[in-house]
Amino acid sequence: MEKNKTFTPVEQSFLNDVPRNNKVNVPYIVVDNFPNLGMLTALRFLEWVHENPAGVISLPTGKTPEYFIFWTQHILENWDNESILELRKKHGLMFQDKPSLAELYFVQIDEFYPIQSSQANSFYHYVNKYYIEGFGLKRENALLVNSNEIPLAEGKGFEEIFPDHKVNLELRYREARNPQEKLQKESIFLIDNWCSEYEQKIRGLGGIGFFLGGIGPDGHIAFNIKGSDPYSTTRLTSTNFETQAVAAGDLGGIEISKERLVITIGLETITHNKDAVAIIFAAGEAKAPVIKNALELPPSNIYPASVLAGLPNGRFYITLGAASMLNDYIDDYYHSGSWSQEKTDKAIMSLTRKLNKYAEHLTLDDLREDQYTQLIPGLSEHTVQSVIDSINGKIKKGTERLSSEVFYHTGPHHDDISLGLLPYIHYQSRNETNASHYSVLTSGFTAVTNKFLIKILNDTLYFVKKDEIEMLQYPDFFEAGYKNKKDKDVYHYLINIASGSAYERSRAVSHRMVRNIVELWNLKNRQDLETRISEIITAVNFSYDGQNPEPKIQTLKGMIREYEEELVWAHFGVRTKNVHHLRLGFYTGAIFTEKPNRERDVIPILKQLREIDPTVISLAFDPEGSGPDTHYKVLQAIAEAVREWGKEKDLSNIKIWGYRNVWYQFNAADVTHIFPVSLNAMSTMDESFTNSYMSQVDASFPSYRYDGKFSHLSIQTWVEQLKDVQLVLGKPYFYDNESPRLRATHGLLFFKEMDVEEFLKSARELEKSTEGAF
């Protein structure tokens, strides 16, 4: 691509060859993956700091800045090292003197309200840890949002004024009904006044000079949600469901984030300084729709990030997945490289959606008039049929019966395999010549709320005291017996799903909890057990929601998830010995999970590959991190394990299945297998999810796309995928089909089969960009 003078030297070094033929509101730069996104933002930040050593910066919180923080520190700490010199030279950071961050002024973007500033999940804590301390900024040069220091009525603290942490903004507009509400009303106005003063302090500094922020699923920047006034300033405000769902992980559940307000700088705060460098960065296909809206549609309150259109130095830095819906990238997809059946499939499917017309009714004129279908080589009346044949072939492949296969199904978290592949797994498992193993690679303890853990512990203590955990009476139980008959705990639970006894199901869970606690704390008698359970309950009660618990309680939470996973597959006759719990060490519950490393995270997977010797490996295929960051880190670890395994064994016949679930989806043109899902299969998946994932039924950590169970969102996805395919094949293809399976189809499941070489190639670029993680 020709160098654009509006871009800085660093930015120019990242420009790719995609032509920019379509008008956008804000200039943008696209990089290959999430780690490279961090590198670009770090280099641009240091470039700006060199020119503005005493400038005003405002930097984001959350998981998106992970590689921005890493690369900023790494470059500064190794400024004159040969590798960093080469990196600087490559990306136009040519000045010799290392930038100093010490004289910068810092402005905190936002904060939950109210929240104790000492809590590790407060943004105040994050800013102090990663920016003030991590970047060596001066605390006296920082404007921070500390909930504990915002003055309230009668000089009281927020725990007294808002004892349940709920702030009712209706009190701005109505009279107080009691003395407590009177204090709250007065306090809200004092908070409003504090926000106005915070805004004036920012403007007194000349406004923000360098702003870096993420973008939410509704398009929000900072906490300026969809519909925010472009002239908004710092304020106390409520949020919407999409924002609450994203914040649930920070606050310990959607129940809490729904009730918590936020203090945020406004859109006008960001754009007040017209010379400001304001950057939005985003990764993954899940962000593609909001990126397209912000960049290509007329600036509007509905698309908060479009406010950057008013800044000459406004920028979007995005990954290929996040850019995938932009017209420039769609154009480039069709105009560059050789033509393929995939392109034909995608172009025709897109046209059927655009015209809302079944493929069989598309005319040759329709194809010639569309900007992309007109590019199909040898365009003719047979073109549409080639797409019908292609999709039909994927369905035939998806319904092909497999035999004598050894499946190694992997999931980053518990429930990923079920949500991504369960109907297809169930279909293939009916052939008893196949063997299946299920391996969840992380502990997943963060998905278990304190409230849920306390309920189970109280139930367990109740059953222990009532002598209803009979195994405690076995003479060898505390020495070795606790390790045995874990399949019995699973059977005990499921048989009481059938009988409908909630009491017995609770007792079954308590049996497993007793085993887990005895194992973790190496207990020797029943009295120790009762004491330990009480101590755990006390410890959890004294922790705040969202707090990272001490290691053994982390493990105990994870063991609940492991039991849930065993319950799911036991629905289909799978024994616990075939459900593996790797608990890879990079997963710690910290805001930034560590990079996978060879000894700790790769070798355990490699050992399983050697022992199980699978013919098929399934995995969550998310190389850009559209969902939780655990997904692409697990992908790295699996890729490296497969690469090592390939040094010992010929893997040319191994099949890799990449699946997707509630966080991101495939296009039908991108996959190799399409599997028809019946109402019965949907019900089976939903019931096994509801019966087994006890900690997830109330969806404390939901997707921003749906306020409910993940199983319902998966079903919704399958239904939407069927609608797309029906536009190609027609509805009669399904309801009039000779196959009963296809007549019963009410949803479609997609996945992509790769050989090992293709899989490793897709993962290799991510591995390179994390700079020697292994």
Side-chain angles (χ1 to χ4, degrees), residues 304 416 657:
D416 280 329
W657 289 347

Side-chain angles (χ1 to χ4, degrees), residues 50 101 108 161 166 238 252 255 275 318 335 431 464 487 525 550 552 619 621 651 655 672:
H50 176 70
L101 310 186
Q108 185 174 335
I161 302 291
K166 295 179 183 177
S238 56
E255 308 88 347
D275 294 324
I318 52 182
H335 284 96
N431 184 334
V464 169
D487 282 298
N525 57 62
E550 59 101 343
K552 284 188 179 179
L619 48 86
F621 194 61
L651 303 184
K655 296 185 282 287
T672 56

Side-chain angles (χ1 to χ4, degrees), residues 246-313:
V246 173
D250 293 315
L251 292 175
I254 190 72
E255 308 88 347
I256 300 155
S257 60
K258 273 186 175 179
E259 302 292 346
R260 200 64 57 92
L261 299 188
V262 295
I263 291 174
T264 180
I265 63 173
L267 296 175
E268 164 69 16
T269 319
I270 297 167
T271 61
H272 172 71
N273 177 359
K274 298 307 176 187
D275 294 324
V277 170
I279 299 166
I280 299 298
F281 61 165
E285 294 170 13
K287 292 293 175 67
V290 294
I291 296 297
K292 181 178 179 66
N293 291 340
L295 289 182
E296 294 185 344
L297 295 180
S300 161
N301 292 30
I302 301 173
Y303 315 119
S306 65
V307 75
L308 267 62
L311 293 176
N313 296 315

Side-chain angles (χ1 to χ4, degrees), residues 360-596:
E360 64 178 342
H361 297 145
L362 291 175
T363 66
L364 202 48
D365 284 341
D366 288 333
L367 303 186
R368 287 171 177 153
E369 289 170 9
D370 180 73
Q371 63 178 323
Y372 300 128
T373 55
Q374 65 181 233
L375 301 173
I376 298 172
L379 193 63
S380 71
E381 61 273 11
H382 302 297
T383 299
V384 170
Q385 187 60 46
S386 75
V387 177
I388 292 171
D389 292 344
S390 173
I391 299 298
N392 188 36
K394 294 176 182 185
I395 292 174
K396 285 184 177 177
K397 200 163 187 179
T399 52
E400 180 185 343
R401 291 280 189 181
L402 303 178
S403 60
S404 302
E405 301 280 10
V406 180
F407 301 114
Y408 179 58
H409 297 295
T410 72
H413 304 93
H414 307 84
D415 73 25
D416 280 329
I417 306 170
S418 170
L419 293 169
L421 279 179
L422 190 143
Y424 185 72
I425 289 172
H426 187 204
Y427 177 70
Q428 297 296 355
S429 68
R430 292 171 184 167
N431 184 334
E432 294 189 1
T433 68
N434 294 322
S436 297
H437 291 259
Y438 305 86
S439 187
V440 180
L441 303 191
T442 69
S443 161
F445 67 87
T446 57
V448 178
T449 63
N450 288 348
K451 180 180 177 182
F452 184 83
L453 177 61
I454 288 170
K455 180 190 180 303
I456 285 186
L457 288 169
N458 279 324
D459 289 346
T460 302
L461 190 58
Y462 169 82
F463 287 119
V464 169
K465 289 183 173 180
K466 280 197 70 179
D467 288 329
E468 292 198 26
I469 308 292
E470 292 94 341
M471 62 187 183
L472 289 174
Q473 299 168 15
Y474 300 165
D476 69 337
F477 178 76
F478 288 94
E479 283 69 43
Y482 67 87
K483 300 175 185 176
N484 304 324
K485 296 188 178 180
K486 289 190 175 182
D487 282 298
K488 186 177 179 182
D489 302 337
V490 172
Y491 184 79
H492 185 179
Y493 185 91
L494 293 183
I495 196 69
N496 286 290
I497 290 287
S499 68
S501 173
Y503 184 88
E504 284 301 315
R505 291 198 300 274
S506 180
R507 202 164 72 85
V509 175
S510 297
H511 274 78
R512 178 57 69 88
M513 288 297 287
V514 165
R515 296 184 196 277
N516 294 341
I517 293 167
V518 169
E519 176 185 337
L520 282 172
W521 279 273
N522 192 28
L523 303 181
K524 297 304 179 187
N525 57 62
R526 176 172 159 167
Q527 183 57 51
D528 285 350
L529 174 64
E530 291 185 21
T531 301
R532 177 59 63 184
I533 294 172
S534 297
E535 288 173 350
I536 299 168
I537 291 171
T538 300
V540 175
N541 271 325
F542 275 92
S543 65
Y544 55 81
D545 291 304
Q547 182 174 356
N548 205 5
E550 59 101 343
K552 284 188 179 179
I553 296 178
Q554 280 186 4
T555 305
L556 184 62
K557 283 187 170 187
M559 291 169 105
I560 292 172
R561 298 290 278 136
E562 292 167 0
Y563 179 54
E564 291 175 341
E565 192 73 13
E566 291 168 8
L567 291 174
V568 168
W569 302 114
H571 276 71
F572 309 101
V574 178
R575 289 181 291 186
T576 57
K577 70 175 186 177
N578 280 35
V579 184
H580 311 283
H581 313 295
L582 288 196
R583 305 180 191 170
L584 296 186
F586 78 83
Y587 185 90
T588 61
I591 183 71
F592 301 137
T593 53
E594 297 178 29
K595 297 175 186 177

Side-chain angles (χ1 to χ4, degrees), residues 20 33 106 249 268 320 627 634:
R20 309 294 176 95
N33 51 53
F106 185 90
E268 164 69 16
L320 283 167
V634 161

Side-chain angles (χ1 to χ4, degrees), residues 584-587 595-605 637:
L584 296 186
F586 78 83
Y587 185 90
K595 297 175 186 177
N597 72 47
R598 178 182 167 80
E599 294 303 317
R600 182 190 62 197
D601 303 310
V602 176
I603 296 301
I605 302 172

